[in-house]
Amino acid sequence: MVKKVNKKEWICAWCFVILSITVGQSVGESEGAAPWTPTWADTLKKDLLKGYDPSIRPSQHYNVTTVEARITITHVEINEIKSTLSVYGWMKFNWIDNRLAWEPMLNGNITKLFLNHSDLWHPTKDQTNTFVKVTSEGMIEYTSALQKQSKCFMQWEKWPFDVQFCSMMFSPWKPLDAMETHVALVKNDIPQGTTWSLLNISLETHVIFDFHEGVEHRATQFHVVMKRNSNIYRSTIIAPACVLIMMNLLSFWLPENCAEKLVLNGINVLVTCMFLIHFNEYISYYTNSTPSIVLFYSQSLYLSGFCLLMTIILQSVVKSMSKVPLYPFMKKLIMLDVVVYMICMKKPSDENLDDICEVLEEPRNNTDEDQSTVHGVAGYQKDWMIFTTLLERIVFIIYVIIFSLMLYFHF
């Protein structure tokens, strides 16, 4: 009697046949390929890392592990918006790990071997873009890319002639006892940028004791001194400041009845306000402290505003008091030789004096009654003009002193 085969058994049988054919083809293809033979480097790597613990320091507990660190700086920059210091370069570490030493004669004359950084002990926590080379003496050369950023508390008081002192703490060494780290700066040949110039780079290795954990952290601190390239600012900030000072001082030497005095003082106030608005929009995003140059323009605005106000008041006084004689003590004041020399910059006895000097000399030979009859209303106005001119000369001297002090302290 023939046994009836169900559908499931037929499917299993066909799967077995297909699998057998596939395996047979694979075996046939593999028989023609040459078998892989491990190289000396493969065998050596396997032997060195057999039983190797990367978490253990490569020395006995009573010995000192000396790590030679060399740092190459290729680029340094300061981000003013974020107030950060960025350092780019390479860090190379060298130390001896006797567990990774071998005899070249017994290992195919191999004198150096390249390993994965994750398989070895290393003194830092940085493992980005690393390159590890091991020699037969157990000397390890551990190279890693240096890309560090840290906060740099910038000082804006001397902007745009500021010099920034920034520091950066590299990744602290592991809190291990009996480990020394010798750090040296190999290269700091950094190309000068368009904004900052590098003045100095230094490295400092020190010890930080953690009282909570009771261990020491040996770390290296990176110090950099950078100066802003302020040549462009001398043309866009210093030159206008000097011109504004000259315009403020020259306004005192214009005659009282000159309408250009108001125009000149008004231009000073307007230009100074525009500079302050620009500084507020640019610097306020970076810091809350006020740079010295901004203080200079702010104080100049007060002086220009006072000069404009004084010009308006003095011109109003000359026009309104043109029919009133000058007060006696003021009259005696403008008759002094010192006052005549201060206004005319000439001796009273010199010839060819201008109108104001002639008015000053006439009262020396005439009485008040003669002067009032000779000059009349016009004489009173000239007297007031001479007195206001004297006030402007005095204020001019005060302004020269104030501007000199401002330039000394702010620049």
Side-chain angles (χ1 to χ4, degrees), residues 95-164:
W95 69 91
I96 296 178
D97 193 341
N98 295 322
R99 297 174 296 177
L100 300 177
W102 70 87
E103 181 60 41
M105 297 296 295
L106 302 177
N107 294 275
N109 293 325
I110 297 178
T111 58
K112 61 181 179 180
L113 189 65
F114 299 95
L115 302 177
N116 192 351
H117 63 86
S118 60
D119 298 331
L120 304 179
W121 176 89
H122 49 85
T124 66
K125 298 179 181 180
D126 297 329
Q127 300 183 15
T128 57
N129 299 328
T130 55
F131 180 79
V132 182
K133 182 177 69 174
V134 184
T135 62
S136 59
E137 294 83 6
M139 176 63 69
I140 298 178
E141 183 177 306
Y142 184 92
T143 305
S144 62
L146 176 62
Q147 297 181 4
K148 297 290 184 182
Q149 287 187 351
S150 67
K151 295 294 292 184
C152 180
F153 298 98
M154 303 183 64
Q155 304 296 327
W156 288 86
E157 286 75 13
K158 297 298 181 180
W159 182 88
F161 311 103
D162 51 335
V163 176
Q164 300 298 335

Side-chain angles (χ1 to χ4, degrees), residues 389-405:
T389 304
L390 174 61
L391 292 180
E392 289 191 340
R393 296 293 189 271
I394 296 174
V395 177
F396 170 79
I397 297 175
I398 297 175
Y399 266 48
V400 170
I401 297 174
I402 294 176
F403 278 122
S404 300
L405 294 176

